């Protein structure tokens, strides 16, 4: 089976990426990988909902609180779309999510923001790396799953809101930048360590990630994907005024 | 001006209840009362969103967590409808909500649930008494505001979910009933004391509540309304297996 061997090459889809779900899901290992992916993404959205709702409590103004509540609600609707899809393909959503609950809960527990700005940086960093990760994966997916994954990565608008507020805070007090840069580094470290744990645990998912269900598991390729994601993170932090 | 002198009589609308917003809002005191009402209701929905999202963390299962997140998201959409209406009548929503933030925040702070069941009872009790209160008020409102208020009181579905779970818990361990009955009594006490504070503070709103903008402020009528709400609460608690 042919699949692109590097997610950044996005020419003509080949292999599974050229198929729809009905065709691609006939292969049990591919089906299992997609169920894993949708389960992980769904739990991620539910956890993001909780985290944003929690951060809303730290909001300095009522308008900021309403803005975070709106984002939380958008994440919840993504969660619903993902669990609806799981149900539509005869998978019980809870069962699909459970393997990923611990890693995501651990991540959130170990990175509980201590104030409003840390919460915003976390929302921004977390969203961006999740979005990079799912875009890397999307190119390897069948067309139906790919549209769904790309759709739920869209339109929550956290990015702009967080960037604007964080920039303004650093401008007002440059020392804030140093503290938030350390925080962003810690977030990235925790995210990578949880992600590597998940990859090591879930065979079907990992095999898909590294370039094709039939090609076996290549830890080096996963490493390269993580490097690409880390690089993109570093650039984003620099643009935000934070040395990553 | 004629308005029904008791909210339980809901025959033909008269007075403001027979008018639409365009006509009714020409009177500044009525307009101010409705802005207060929508502001209080909007902040209540935002606070309910936060409370349910917080309770979602206590959920014993992933399915329960998803159910609470769904309710929270529904509350957020009510919040949006109310703030959209405020904006549509040229009122800045934050300004309209702020006078009610302290009372609602105090209520939630003083009644933070210590476990999942307390959270459910609080969601149920809080929703029911808020709903009773707004239904009492709705009969005195112009037709446009009345439809909006009744629409946002609908369809969150907390009630059934909470009742089912609480009943099952009491069946499994009857001692739970005693503890939750005390809890429900405390919630009602706090709710009434915050509500009375708000009523005392907000003249236009209170005047409308007691039967007509032109008729002056009648504390006795407010007292009767609170009695009706308390009675309905007592009946609901008994039906739930909790002596109120």
């Amino acid at each position: 089976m042919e699949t692109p061997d590097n997610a950044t090459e996005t020419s003509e889809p080949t292999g599974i990426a050229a198929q729809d779900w009905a065709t691609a899901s006939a292969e049990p290992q591919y089906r299992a990988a997609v169920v894993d992916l949708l389960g992980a993404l769904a739990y991620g959205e539910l956890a993001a909902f909780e985290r944003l709702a929690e951060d809303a409590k730290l909001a300095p103004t009522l308008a900021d609180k309403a803005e975070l509540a709106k984002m939380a609600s958008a994440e919840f609707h993504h969660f619903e779309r993902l669990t609806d899809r799981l149900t539509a393909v005869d998978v019980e959503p809870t069962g699909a999510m459970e393997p990923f609950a611990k890693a995501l809960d651990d991540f959130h527990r170990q990175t509980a923001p201590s104030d409003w700005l840390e919460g915003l940086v976390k929302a921004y960093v977390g969203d961006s790396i999740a979005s990079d990760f799912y875009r890397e994966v999307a190119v390897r997916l069948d067309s139906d799953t790919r549209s769904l994954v790309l759709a739920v990565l869209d339109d929550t608008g956290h990015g702009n809101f967080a960037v604007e507020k964080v920039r303004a805070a650093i401008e007002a007090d440059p020392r804030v930048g140093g503290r938030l840069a350390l925080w962003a580094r810690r977030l990235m470290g925790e995210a990578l360590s949880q992600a590597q744990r998940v990859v090591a645990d879930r065979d079907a998912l990992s095999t898909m990630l590294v370039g094709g269900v039939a090609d076996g598991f290549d830890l080096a390729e996963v490493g390269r994907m993580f490097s690409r994601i880390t690089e993109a993170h570093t650039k984003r932090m620099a643009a935000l005024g934070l040395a990553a």
Side-chain angles (χ1 to χ4, degrees), chain A:
Chain A
M1 180 181 316
E2 280 181 42
T3 51
D5 65 344
N6 183 317
T8 55
E9 291 168 20
T10 50
S11 45
E12 273 300 281
T14 54
I16 280 176
Q19 299 172 12
D20 66 6
W21 168 253
T23 312
S25 64
E27 199 187 342
Q29 213 186 341
Y30 178 73
R31 196 181 201 284
V34 169
V35 168
D36 262 13
L37 190 73
L38 298 181
L41 191 42
Y43 194 83
E45 296 283 2
L46 188 59
F49 162 86
E50 282 194 288
R51 173 203 75 198
L52 288 165
E54 179 82 20
D55 291 353
K57 288 193 298 191
L58 302 169
T61 70
L62 234 169
D64 287 333
K65 187 193 283 278
E67 196 59 44
L68 253 68
K70 184 186 188 141
M71 291 172 192
S73 179
E75 303 280 16
F76 178 74
H77 293 302
H78 294 163
F79 166 78
E80 276 189 319
R81 287 187 67 173
L82 292 158
T83 53
D84 285 352
R85 173 67 63 97
L86 283 164
T87 305
V89 302
D90 295 320
V91 174
E92 205 281 295
T94 303
M97 290 188 279
E98 252 150 15
F100 306 99
K102 189 173 175 345
L104 277 152
D105 288 349
D106 284 353
F107 171 72
H108 285 300
R109 197 173 26 248
Q110 277 154 20
T111 59
S114 67
D115 65 15
W116 168 243
L117 288 172
E118 287 192 3
L120 287 181
V121 168
K122 179 174 168 184
Y124 178 58
V125 167
D127 263 21
S128 306
I129 61 182
S131 171
D132 283 350
F133 168 74
Y134 285 104
R135 274 178 224 284
E136 289 259 353
V137 176
V139 297
R140 309 181 193 276
L141 296 172
D142 67 274
S143 54
D144 295 314
T145 308
R146 183 166 61 240
S147 338
L148 175 65
V149 167
L150 296 176
V152 301
L153 294 179
D154 230 34
D155 96 359
T156 50
H158 304 186
N160 290 343
F161 180 79
V163 165
E164 218 177 86
K165 299 280 172 181
V166 171
R167 277 224 180 98
I170 296 176
E171 236 164 74
D173 177 3
R175 285 167 309 172
V176 165
R179 174 168 71 83
L180 293 179
L182 278 176
W183 170 243
R185 198 145 50 205
R186 210 182 113 210
L187 290 170
M188 190 63 181
E190 284 294 339
L192 285 177
S193 89
Q194 296 298 338
Q196 276 168 333
R197 219 176 78 189
V198 168
V199 165
D201 272 6
R202 305 296 296 178
D203 273 358
L205 184 60
S206 316
T207 305
M208 184 174 69
L209 292 182
V210 297
V213 170
D215 298 342
F217 184 55
D218 177 353
L219 204 55
E221 178 51 27
V222 173
R224 282 192 290 277
M225 184 184 75
F226 283 147
S227 299
R228 287 192 294 274
I229 293 177
T230 308
E231 251 169 63
H233 166 75
T234 307
K235 281 183 194 154
R236 270 191 306 266
M237 291 302 100
L240 192 56
L242 303 179

